[in-house]
Amino acid sequence: MKCFYLKDFASQRIQAGEKLIRLEDFEAPDDIKDAPEGMIIFITDRSHNFKGQAFVGRQNKGFAWVFSLNLEDLWSKELFSIYFQEAVERRQSLLDDPTTTGFRLFNGEGDGLGGISIDWYDHFIQINWYSKGAYEYRDWWLEILLESPLEVAGIYETKRFPIGDSEKAMGHVTGKEAQQPLIIKEQNRKYAIYLGQDWMTGLFFDQREVRQYIQEQAKGLSVLNLFSYTGAFSVAASLGGASNTISVDVANRSLELTKENFLINQLDADNLSNEIRIMDVFDYIDYVKRSSKDFDMVVCDPPSFARTKRYVFSALTDYIKMAKDLFKITKAGGLCVLSTNHSAYSKDKFIEDMNEAGRLSGKKVQLIQSFRLPEDYPSSVDPTSQYLTVLVYYCSE
Ligand code: SAH
């Protein structure tokens, strides 16, 4: 086993619970920079005190993931099994809940092992690999999943790291193939899921609590859902009795996928009560401002970065300006639900910025509720781990 020294501040961070090691955290980065993916290393401080064990798995700015602070732990299928078993136990209430058949089963470093996430779609499994290092141990994971008492019907995977031209980035791995779409339930809302076909499967489980909140608040309200993708928030609002919803997304695929989600929930997809607009959100906001329309509830869940033909959006720099407009088009007595999944946008900074947007809008706005990641997305103390913040503002005159 090879030993590598970390700089002082880095070994303190690891001691405090952070799992991600960057190349520049090592005293001698040149000694390790060419290490093979998946290699296991011991890390120590400069005085040779053992600090933990890690595996090499390059992803974004990260280089390796700490998987244990104990000298005795052996990197093995048994260790993976223990982490997986603990993750399953943490989700027992979701597994026992017949109204929810889709959720995150294993959340990378938050469940003890970085570089991988595993989602549960009604007995079908979707694995996301974020580094080649994590992927090196694919066989252990597949065995553990197939041997588990969860009754896994089939497994799909998506490789979110650079791969060769001849390799497939996503697809079916083993077991039965899922119906396309596979219908899963989330607190009895139904959603159509397509496994193995796209980078996104149709639903982001991390917004479950927000969808539930929207469903509970929406009775009688006109709801505008921006960056709507498959209309998951609109479906929740409509099930909650919204008077009408408008879903706006620039991607053509959103039209059919959103209609389908309304239809499987026995909701109108006739473009009157649940309208779907395939267009740029920023053009739509301009149109709403020009026509002096306003809404009882505005939901906005943009990607961290987006580039369309006419606009470039970066959450960190452009959210304030967009939120100012969103407050303007929210009726007095209405709600504005603002979400960011940018890990560098801290909750405090996001609140500060949205308060500023409120001031700029000339409306009186009040933060009344906030959401972070739900229980099936446990996080580590790494700064990138708690990436989601959703703020609910009440708007008055
Ligand atoms: N809110 C969604 C998830 C959003 S995913 C949900 O609840 O599931 C991000 C979406 O933003 C994608 O569907 C993408 O097509 C869309 N998008 C990105 N830039 C856009 C723009 N400028 N105008 C409209 N949609 C945009």
Side-chain angles (χ1 to χ4, degrees):
M1 186 75 58
K2 281 205 168 174
C3 251
F4 293 91
Y5 311 137
L6 289 187
K7 290 176 184 160
D8 284 346
F9 72 91
S11 68
Q12 281 156 15
R13 285 198 343 246
I14 300 306
Q15 192 124 39
E18 283 194 26
K19 309 266 193 210
L20 191 63
I21 307 178
R22 293 166 195 80
L23 194 55
E24 62 268 27
D25 291 337
F26 292 96
E27 275 289 347
D30 281 348
D31 293 353
I32 192 166
K33 69 176 195 318
D34 298 323
E37 288 288 324
M39 186 171 103
I40 308 306
I41 56 173
F42 276 178
I43 47 178
T44 72
D45 64 12
R46 269 198 290 207
S47 323
H48 301 252
N49 296 310
F50 172 82
K51 287 291 159 187
Q53 302 187 54
F55 73 94
V56 174
R58 295 170 182 84
Q59 75 183 66
N60 301 329
K61 293 185 183 126
F63 182 82
W65 287 104
V66 174
F67 64 87
S68 172
L69 299 184
N70 297 323
L71 200 51
E72 296 78 33
D73 278 342
L74 262 189
W75 179 256
S76 61
K77 185 180 153 192
E78 284 62 44
L79 185 70
F80 278 40
S81 270
I82 293 170
Y83 282 132
F84 182 65
Q85 192 47 44
E86 286 171 0
V88 169
E89 280 162 23
R90 247 171 243 138
R91 289 148 178 93
Q92 203 54 55
S93 60
L94 282 164
L95 283 160
D96 291 342
D97 174 3
T99 72
T100 299
T101 57
F103 49 87
R104 177 145 292 188
L105 196 53
F106 192 90
N107 195 41
E109 66 276 20
D111 280 306
L113 279 171
I116 181 174
S117 68
I118 304 176
D119 290 323
W120 174 260
Y121 292 93
D122 196 10
H123 296 274
F124 285 92
I125 293 280
Q126 151 79 24
I127 310 177
N128 288 301
W129 307 103
Y130 296 93
S131 71
K132 187 143 193 336
Y135 188 72
E136 290 288 306
Y137 301 95
R138 180 180 188 251
D139 289 350
W140 287 352
W141 275 114
L142 296 181
E143 284 167 27
I144 289 166
L145 288 163
L146 293 171
E147 286 161 7
S148 95
L150 294 178
E151 297 176 21
V152 169
I155 301 182
Y156 288 77
E157 69 181 356
T158 304
K159 298 173 206 164
R160 296 175 187 274
F161 56 87
I163 54 169
D165 287 344
S166 57
E167 246 182 295
K168 270 198 332 190
M170 61 192 73
H172 178 253
V173 179
T174 182
K176 280 202 277 186
E177 294 205 29
Q179 287 173 12
Q180 306 280 4
L182 176 71
I183 311 293
I184 63 110
K185 284 189 294 181
E186 180 193 79
Q187 289 164 293
N188 277 331
R189 292 177 292 278
K190 290 185 188 150
Y191 290 105
I193 302 295
Y194 293 85
L195 291 178
Q197 298 194 6
D198 194 271
W199 295 105
M200 305 186 280
T201 61
L203 188 67
F204 293 98
F205 291 140
D206 53 4
Q207 296 275 14
R208 179 175 54 248
E209 291 174 352
V210 182
R211 285 187 284 270
Q212 183 65 17
Y213 175 83
I214 286 172
Q215 182 169 347
E216 285 162 9
Q217 302 296 320
K219 198 164 184 56
L221 307 186
S222 58
V223 178
L224 175 63
N225 179 10
L226 300 174
F227 306 94
S228 57
Y229 181 38
T230 58
F233 288 124
S234 310
V235 164
S238 191
L239 284 172
S243 64
N244 72 299
T245 69
I246 301 180
S247 306
V248 184
D249 198 290
V250 76
N252 287 323
R253 61 166 183 231
S254 288
L255 182 62
E256 289 309 316
L257 293 172
T258 306
K259 262 193 199 164
E260 179 171 54
N261 274 334
F262 282 122
L263 290 174
I264 61 176
N265 285 283
Q266 276 80 48
L267 298 165
D268 289 338
D270 54 8
N271 241 2
L272 291 171
S273 39
N274 291 311
E275 198 179 323
I276 302 162
R277 291 283 189 109
I278 301 303
M279 67 186 288
D280 202 298
V281 157
F282 300 101
D283 287 334
Y284 188 76
I285 293 173
D286 280 348
Y287 153 74
V288 170
K289 277 171 33 192
R290 276 200 313 276
S291 58
S292 313
K293 270 164 82 89
D294 52 12
F295 300 88
D296 298 312
M297 183 191 270
V298 175
V299 182
C300 179
D301 175 31
S304 299
F305 304 97
R307 179 187 289 273
T308 54
K309 282 193 193 111
R310 281 161 51 100
Y311 303 93
V312 180
F313 173 82
S314 164
L316 274 176
T317 49
D318 302 326
Y319 214 129
I320 295 191
K321 184 170 170 289
M322 176 170 65
K324 180 186 90 178
D325 285 342
L326 301 184
F327 287 135
K328 280 188 185 160
I329 62 171
T330 306
K331 284 191 178 137
L335 297 177
C336 217
V337 181
L338 306 171
S339 170
T340 178
N341 59 11
H342 192 343
S343 58
Y345 214 161
S346 71
K347 180 178 179 188
D348 286 351
K349 177 78 172 104
F350 191 43
I351 292 178
E352 193 185 307
D353 284 358
M354 295 307 101
N355 288 344
E356 170 69 4
R359 275 190 292 278
L360 292 170
S361 75
K363 284 254 173 91
K364 213 174 135 213
V365 308
Q366 192 188 347
L367 178 61
I368 56 165
Q369 171 82 269
S370 66
F371 297 89
R372 306 228 62 191
L373 290 167
E375 59 173 337
D376 46 333
Y377 285 70
S379 50
S380 68
V381 300
D382 293 81
T384 51
S385 193
Q386 264 282 4
Y387 58 87
L388 185 72
T389 304
V390 183
L391 305 178
V392 182
Y393 278 87
Y394 177 80
C395 300
S396 38
E397 280 316 315

